[in-house]
Amino acid sequence: MTIEESTALADSVVGTLEQHLVHDVVPLRLQRARTEFLTQGFAKTGFLAPPDVKKYVAEETEALIARHAVRRDGAFAETGGTPRRMHNVRRAEIAEHGRILPRLYSSTGLREALAAVAGEEVLKCPYPPEQFVITELTQTGDTHGWHWDDYSFALVWVIDCPPLERGGFVQCVPRTEWDKEDPQLHRHFVSRPIHSVELHPGDLYFLRSDTTLHRVYPVTGGRRLIVNMGYAARRDLAKPMSHETMDALWAEPMVRDTIPRGTGRESS
């Protein structure tokens, strides 16, 4: 496919999404998602994208993870030593080699729909590395451990996910605050309920990611492949930000993945 053809396809996918948001998404669904979001810091929002848009997102994501994956394996003091074990593709590689994902991230119509769920304006993240990334969990014990995000919102597109008994589901503790000097994860666990949410391929979910402590339960089989799109609230633009965990997690260089990609690698 030529650059012109891929650009035209991306424009078509975004147009399809925005038409769907205008004509097919009823206000009641947005209202229900908003109630869930405000009470739990999390809402399933798969209704925001039609099946053909999800198909194109999945195809581009699979191509990018196959060609540009990097293995990450670390732990972070700012979140109480919680682990990150995954493959990923960073924003820079997605912006260079992808067409659909960058265009979807910039969709005004999508941000307006997310604003209806959030109850406030949803803005592009001012820190580019947090705008969009791909992560993949395939090996036993792979996880995106307990953490908060620097900015207020995250929209996650679930491309692939193992069955519930193999992990890969999301756990959330809403209405929490991140103290990078003293995160006190266990204090949050005993003072707030932990919500666990089963996911399936094709799901989307919207997260209040700066005040909802969250993680992906470690996988023991199958594969979890997602696209994370990070967004800011207006208040984020005025407060000081540091990006220790993001800068460390996505730093160059780690190990460029050369293992043939597939489902269930080292996952039995």
Side-chain angles (χ1 to χ4, degrees):
M1 185 180 295
T2 66
I3 293 176
E4 292 77 12
E5 289 171 336
S6 61
T7 300
L9 175 60
D11 290 342
S12 175
V13 171
V14 172
T16 298
L17 175 70
E18 294 190 339
Q19 287 296 309
H20 169 77
L21 292 170
V22 170
H23 298 292
D24 301 324
V25 176
V26 298
L28 181 60
R29 298 202 75 174
L30 290 169
Q31 183 179 352
R32 288 174 177 168
R34 180 178 178 181
T35 299
E36 184 180 2
F37 182 81
L38 294 178
T39 57
Q40 298 187 17
F42 177 105
K44 281 193 173 183
T45 53
F47 62 88
L48 293 178
D52 50 348
V53 169
K54 293 178 183 178
K55 178 179 75 72
Y56 283 117
V57 168
E59 289 174 355
E60 181 162 286
T61 303
E62 293 281 10
L64 289 165
I65 197 71
R67 296 169 187 163
H68 305 288
V70 173
R71 180 68 188 176
R72 311 284 178 177
D73 194 347
F76 298 91
E78 293 84 0
T79 57
T82 54
R84 312 289 187 274
R85 301 187 185 109
M86 66 186 71
H87 291 83
N88 93 290
V89 182
R90 302 178 309 165
R91 189 248 188 225
E93 286 73 36
I94 298 171
E96 180 179 359
H97 301 287
R99 292 289 181 271
I100 293 170
L101 297 181
R103 287 281 287 112
L104 283 175
Y105 180 79
S106 297
S107 166
T108 300
L110 179 57
R111 291 202 311 277
E112 289 174 349
L114 296 176
V117 177
E120 60 180 303
E121 192 175 11
V122 173
L123 307 171
K124 289 184 181 179
C125 181
Y127 182 63
E130 294 206 36
Q131 289 181 345
F132 41 87
V133 297
I134 296 168
T135 66
E136 182 191 47
L137 312 182
T138 58
Q139 302 178 15
T140 295
D142 275 3
T143 180
H144 199 151
W146 288 107
H147 66 286
W148 296 264
D149 295 348
D150 290 315
Y151 293 91
S152 289
F153 307 117
L155 177 68
V156 178
W157 301 68
V158 181
I159 310 303
D160 198 5
C161 195
L164 183 64
E165 61 272 15
R166 290 292 194 169
F169 55 90
V170 173
Q171 294 186 296
C172 302
V173 185
R175 297 181 296 283
T176 53
E177 294 184 6
W178 186 12
D179 180 348
K180 293 184 180 183
E181 299 298 324
D182 186 16
Q184 296 192 44
L185 298 191
H186 296 95
R187 181 62 56 195
H188 293 301
F189 297 151
V190 300
S191 62
R192 297 280 191 276
I194 299 175
H195 300 284
S196 300
V197 184
E198 183 176 3
L199 298 168
H200 303 280
D203 281 342
L204 283 77
Y205 61 89
F206 190 47
L207 187 67
R208 177 63 196 272
S209 48
D210 64 334
T211 60
T212 303
L213 177 58
H214 55 284
R215 76 160 178 173
V216 178
Y217 195 92
V219 300
T220 61
R223 178 179 72 148
R224 186 185 197 267
L225 177 65
I226 64 96
V227 181
N228 184 93
M229 295 183 173
Y231 296 93
R234 181 67 60 182
R235 64 183 161 274
D236 294 332
L237 307 184
K239 64 186 181 182
M241 288 284 187
S242 61
H243 308 98
E244 297 93 338
T245 57
M246 277 294 294
D247 289 344
L249 182 57
W250 310 135
E252 286 276 23
M254 283 192 176
V255 179
R256 180 70 63 182
D257 188 17
T258 58
I259 301 173
R261 310 203 69 76
T263 58
R265 177 182 48 190
E266 294 186 33
S267 61
S268 60

